[in-house]
Amino acid sequence: MSINTIIFDLDGTLLNTLTDLTNSVNYAMEKYHLPTHSEDSVRQMVGNGVTVLMERAIPGGKSHPAFENCLRDFKEHYEIHKKDFTKPFPGIMEFLKEAHESGYKMAVVSNKFDLAVKGLCEDFFSPYIQTAIGESPTVAPKPAPDTVLAAMKELQANAHQCVYVGDSDVDIATAQNAGIPCISVSWGFRSREFLKEHGASIIIDSEKELPKAIRDSQSLRE
């Protein structure tokens, strides 16, 4: 059975969101007189959802008395400013268009909160991304497979038809837990060396390598 469904991570895979995330983190930090962070620092904090992002950003994490207020203010600021500097990585729109025209079904699953995920996908990737699922109280976050399984159900696809594309160790574990192959991309928030250390079996450096990587992931299953 050939692969006809591609499930993508969002931040660091399809969209370069780092500047807007950093700006919203630092907005909350400054409001409560806490130390701010560089983009390179925030790059290492993302991947497990906004609660963990802020837990890593705030000294003392959840034990800090301002944690809940910081998290709330980050979310409110990010919702307003999430498209200030965010844009697709080079070549992504061309790939999505070609994949759509070739008949692939495509979804996004993310640990970013659900409202932002759906809004960003609608704004940037309509009509190519058919399903977008983010963090919510009703579904376990990655690396649990729940968001992937929910996307597969919505797209009426089974594991043998799917491949996952992501930029982090969380994505590698998510794909493994969902029972589907993972293509890791090196242009996102983690380096090629980091991905290798965390078990990546296919790593690509350009979106132009995606078609071959999808074929290679198919051969791994045969």
Side-chain angles (χ1 to χ4, degrees), residues 90-92 94-95 98 185 187 204-215:
I92 288 298
E94 291 81 359
F95 172 80
E98 291 170 7
V185 306
W187 60 74
I204 62 173
D205 302 313
S206 162
E207 88 292 340
K208 292 182 174 62
E209 299 174 59
L210 265 170
K212 181 179 184 300
I214 292 170
R215 293 193 298 272

Side-chain angles (χ1 to χ4, degrees), residues 178-199:
I180 63 176
C182 183
I183 298 168
S184 297
V185 306
S186 67
W187 60 74
F189 298 160
R190 301 291 186 267
S191 68
R192 170 178 273 272
E193 292 71 26
F194 180 94
L195 294 168
K196 281 183 179 179
E197 290 170 4
H198 287 81

